Structures are given as structure tokens and as C-alpha cells.
Amino acid sequence: PILILILIIIIIIMGVLLNDIKTARTEEAYNDVCLMGTDKDGSGGILASKLILAMRSQVFHKMFYGNFRESEALAIPLNYSSSVIRSIVDYCYTDRTTKSDEQQQAPSYSEADFRDMVSLRSAADFFELSELREVMADLLYSEMAKHPGMTCAVLDELSAVGETDGEFHDTCLGIIRVMGEAALLPNNDDDAHPGRGVLACGNSVIGKVLAEEVVGYDHCLIARCLQKWEPSGRREDDEGRMDEGDIASKQYGEMRHAMIARGIAGRVRLNLIAPPKLARLNPCSLFSRDQLYEALKEHALSTEQEGGSILTKTAVRGQWCIVKGASCPGANGMYSADGISYNDGVPIYEKKGMYMDKAEPFKLFRRVNDNTGNANWFLGVYPVGSKSKIYLYTSRVDEVEKDKIPMYTWRLWGDNQSPPTNNAQLPAPIVLGG
């Protein structure tokens, strides 16, 4: 009883202290630094306490109490927008962010929100706020799963903050690889798929998004994306109101945009696109009426010579999920649906990963026990050339959403103990999406 009483007292004291820190956030007398964003939002900067920021971030500590000119400055410019800086300061004071709080209220985020989240994740990495970085990564994964049409905007913003490779960057490309048209050409009339898709790509990103390792050899999808993207590079600015430097910059940007579009269009083989799809492509500056006609004529001649009809294979694009935090590194990463469980009727998710120094297939699936009728989820390795499989993790099926992959209830196979909730020490995975 004494220990419980002491614990209650500590909790009360911590709650009061946290509340006092939140109150200090709005008290000008306690603030001794003004952080200035790159934009002019009219607020004059974000006021904060050097002490509190330094306690939460080693970067702020070095900035304010090290041998830097910022240690004496009252106003410090930072290379982030005001909204991102405000979120960083809020997190340092409250351990929460505006974006994560808004998730429970907003039905969906705008493209600007997605870009802010990418920038906030980058800022969290810069200020060595690792937990905030993971929170924003998980939030972006979750939202891209619901709205794949925003993935291109996320990739474009990653390029803008200088993150052109790495696990998060590659996972975004993986989402486009699996979701295909839903990510690149979302139906904006459908509220379930907001986002501009390929239109959100800048010149530095479009080549990656439409690369063969991402979209494969879907020449029709590449052509449709280019038909939508290429005109977006022609800006309608009134050159009569621009100086010579701005006009030259505008013209150079438009020229580079057109050159990139033509370069990608050169890879498109119109004669490999099925006639019904080819007939729906409209002539444009990249694919002329004559080129489309010649491709259709080639199909007609080929069909006549073979004496049959043209058969086309269409790729079936399934769902996907992301595994992270598993003690077996090869199990982490993005899985795509590849087939249906023979006795359960739900997708089997698969990826390649390293196991015992070899690249092996990892599979995530649900299976019903033939004897008991109980269903469980499993994640394991299917070694190449072997009929046996190696189960690594398992999870019970959610009683409410039976077909949805569980997120936090995974445990080691053969171990009846649930894994600890501390992500940094997690022996079993967290699964997002699916």
C-alpha cells in the first residue's frame, strides 16, 4: 500500500509539472528565444524557452549553450516552415504534435499536410528527436495506406528535404509499385482517394516514379501518367509582370520539364499496349496521332497473320503491408499480396529478405486450424529449395476485424509471452497497412 501511495503521489506531481510546463509555453516572461521560419506567416516567429528546448534536444543544447552565435541571439532563423517549427516546439513542451492530435478529428489530410508531415519528420531527425521521427513515419505510412494518391507528394517532399534514398523513401516507391494506378492516377471524384498522384511529382522525382523497377513494363500506365504530367510544366504566369531573371528561370524550368517527359516517353512501346487501351489514349505532344495509328495498325496486322485474337495479361494489384521492429531484420519491410490462402480466402503477403545470409521469401498470412477451427496470423520464412517453412512470429485474429492484419499483438512463435510495448526493445513486429 505504501508503494502504491508513493506511485500515486509521483504521478500527481508529474501531472502538475507537465501542466506547469504547458502553461509556461504561453507565458511570454518565460520565453527567451524566437525561432523564425522560412515563410512569413505574420506571427513574427515562435517564442520558446531555451532551457526546455535544450533539455529535449542535444542539437538545441549545442545551439543555445555551445560556442555558436545562436547562444547569444534572441531571434534564430531555421530552415523550416513556421508550422513545422511550431510542431517541434509543441513536441518539446508536451510530447505531442498538432498533426497526431488532428488525426482523430480530420477525415483526411490535404497535400500540404502530407508535405508538412514529411518536413516535420526531417526536422525531428535533424534535432535528434527520434521518437517524433518514428511517430511521423508511422502516421505517413498509415495515411498513405488509406490515400495512396498522396504518395507521390510524399516522395516529392522527401526530395525537397534531401532524402533521396533510405528505407522510408524506398517504401514509398514500394507503395506505388503495388498500388499502381491508385497511387499515380487517383480518381479525384472519389473521396476515398484524394491526392494529385503523378501531378505532385517534380522534375527530380518523376523519373523514379515511372522507372521500370517501380511500374514494371506497364507501358499504358506510363503513357497515361505522362499525358497528365507533361502539360503541368507549362506555367501560366504573366511574363509582362516578371523581370528578366524570373522569365529566364520559368522558361528553363518548362524546357527541362518537357525534356524529362520526352525522355521517359522514349521508353514507351505503344505496340505493346493492348488495342482497347491504346484506342483510349489521346494524341498529344508526346504521342502523336500518327504514332498511335501505326501502333494500332501493327496490332491489326499481327492478329491477321496469327489468325486469332489478341490476348493480354493484366497484372492484379493487391494490398500491401509494412513490417517494422522485428528482431529478424529480413522480416522488416514492405510486403505485397501474392495469392490467396488456400484454406482461409484472405491474401498472402510476401517479400524477399535476408535469412541465414541468403535471400529467402518471407510470407505473412492467416490460417485456420483444421482441427480446432481457430484462425491465427503467421509470419515466416519459406527457404528456397526446401519443402519446410520456418515460423517466426504469430498473432491472434482480431475478434472485430477478422480480415485485418493485427498491428501490435504479434509475439515470437512458440513463446506465449506478449512482446513488450517499448518499440525500441520490440522482439516481435509492428504491422502497418494491409
Side-chain angles (χ1 to χ4, degrees):
I2 295 176
L3 290 176
I4 294 175
L5 180 61
I6 292 174
L7 182 60
I8 292 173
I9 293 173
I10 292 174
I11 292 173
I12 293 173
I13 292 173
M14 292 298 292
V16 171
L17 180 61
L18 183 60
N19 188 63
D20 288 343
I21 292 175
K22 290 180 180 178
T23 302
R25 175 81 173 83
T26 59
E27 292 290 338
E28 189 172 343
Y30 298 127
N31 298 323
D32 55 1
V33 68
C34 181
L35 305 179
M36 311 294 294
T38 54
D39 53 324
K40 306 295 183 182
D41 67 351
S43 66
I46 292 89
L47 297 174
S49 164
K50 290 182 179 180
L51 177 63
I52 291 177
L53 298 183
M55 289 171 61
R56 297 302 306 275
S57 163
Q58 283 298 311
V59 175
F60 277 129
H61 185 276
K62 294 174 184 177
M63 185 184 295
F64 298 142
Y65 299 105
N67 295 322
F68 295 94
R69 62 183 181 184
E70 289 89 350
S71 61
E72 302 296 330
L74 297 178
I76 299 175
L78 296 175
N79 195 30
Y80 297 100
S81 69
S82 297
S83 63
V84 168
I85 296 172
R86 186 174 290 105
S87 293
I88 289 288
V89 172
D90 286 344
Y91 180 79
C92 288
Y93 273 81
T94 67
D95 230 24
R96 300 180 65 85
T97 67
T98 305
K99 292 297 179 192
S100 57
D101 290 342
E102 287 175 351
Q103 186 182 22
Q104 305 300 324
Q105 304 171 8
S108 63
Y109 292 112
S110 67
E111 181 179 316
D113 291 326
F114 272 82
R115 290 179 180 273
D116 270 355
M117 284 188 275
V118 173
S119 186
L120 178 54
R121 176 181 168 277
S122 174
D125 188 45
F126 176 79
F127 289 109
E128 298 181 6
L129 300 169
S130 58
E131 289 186 7
L132 176 59
R133 184 179 187 273
E134 290 304 308
V135 166
M136 298 318 300
D138 289 348
L139 179 55
L140 282 163
Y141 282 143
S142 174
E143 291 301 312
M144 284 189 289
K146 291 185 286 188
H147 309 300
M150 289 292 188
T151 309
C152 287
V154 172
L155 274 168
D156 189 63
E157 194 62 26
L158 283 174
S159 177
V161 300
E163 188 172 343
T164 56
D165 54 20
E167 182 182 346
F168 185 78
H169 173 274
D170 293 345
T171 299
C172 291
L173 287 175
I175 292 172
I176 294 175
R177 183 183 303 116
V178 174
M179 300 305 294
E181 186 172 333
L184 296 170
L185 299 169
N187 180 7
N188 288 318
D189 295 329
D190 183 357
D191 290 337
H193 300 90
R196 295 190 300 145
V198 72
L199 286 176
C201 293
N203 292 343
S204 61
V205 173
I206 190 66
K208 287 185 176 182
V209 166
L210 297 183
E212 289 177 355
E213 55 267 29
V214 177
V215 296
Y217 297 95
D218 192 339
H219 295 272
C220 183
L221 179 60
I222 297 172
R224 291 171 60 205
C225 287
L226 288 174
Q227 284 187 326
K228 193 167 187 178
W229 184 78
E230 192 271 338
S232 69
R234 296 191 287 272
R235 292 164 49 185
E236 301 298 329
D237 299 331
D238 183 3
E239 294 189 359
R241 297 176 178 270
M242 301 168 64
D243 59 34
E244 291 184 2
D246 290 336
I247 293 174
S249 177
K250 170 181 177 290
Q251 292 174 344
Y252 173 77
E254 290 177 347
M255 180 180 67
R256 177 168 168 73
H257 186 98
M259 287 177 61
I260 291 172
R262 286 196 296 271
I264 299 172
R267 303 197 333 254
V268 176
R269 299 282 300 278
L270 294 175
N271 61 328
L272 296 181
I273 300 175
K277 295 182 178 180
L278 188 60
R280 291 199 293 269
L281 289 178
N282 296 317
C284 64
S285 60
L286 299 174
F287 309 108
S288 68
R289 187 180 303 276
D290 289 342
Q291 287 175 307
L292 296 173
Y293 173 75
E294 288 298 322
L296 282 169
K297 187 168 70 172
E298 185 176 335
H299 274 298
L301 289 173
S302 175
T303 304
E304 184 179 341
Q305 291 169 359
E306 294 175 8
S309 60
I310 298 173
L311 299 177
T312 60
K313 295 181 179 180
T314 57
V316 178
R317 297 185 181 275
Q319 296 172 304
W320 55 274
C321 65
I322 297 168
V323 173
K324 57 179 293 186
S327 55
C328 175
N332 296 316
M334 181 170 177
Y335 290 65
S336 57
D338 183 26
I340 301 295
S341 176
Y342 75 93
N343 77 341
D344 204 7
V346 298
I348 297 173
Y349 300 84
E350 186 172 347
K351 71 176 280 289
K352 278 290 186 72
M354 297 303 294
Y355 185 79
M356 302 295 288
D357 297 325
K358 291 178 63 180
E360 303 282 12
F362 283 74
K363 294 188 179 184
L364 189 156
F365 56 93
R366 191 180 75 180
R367 179 157 294 174
V368 177
N369 187 305
D370 294 332
N371 297 322
T372 65
N374 296 327
N376 286 282
W377 288 92
F378 298 93
L379 196 163
V381 185
Y382 284 63
V384 176
S386 172
K387 294 183 179 180
S388 63
K389 49 186 173 288
I390 304 169
Y391 289 138
L392 299 176
Y393 308 100
T394 185
S395 174
R396 63 181 182 274
V397 171
D398 190 292
E399 292 299 324
V400 178
E401 298 181 282
K402 296 182 184 296
D403 292 341
K404 185 174 182 180
I405 303 175
M407 185 173 179
Y408 290 112
T409 56
W410 291 84
R411 57 183 172 80
L412 295 171
W413 170 250
D415 180 2
N416 292 322
Q417 299 297 318
S418 297
T421 56
N422 181 356
N423 292 358
Q425 304 298 325
L426 200 63
I430 294 174
V431 181
L432 303 164

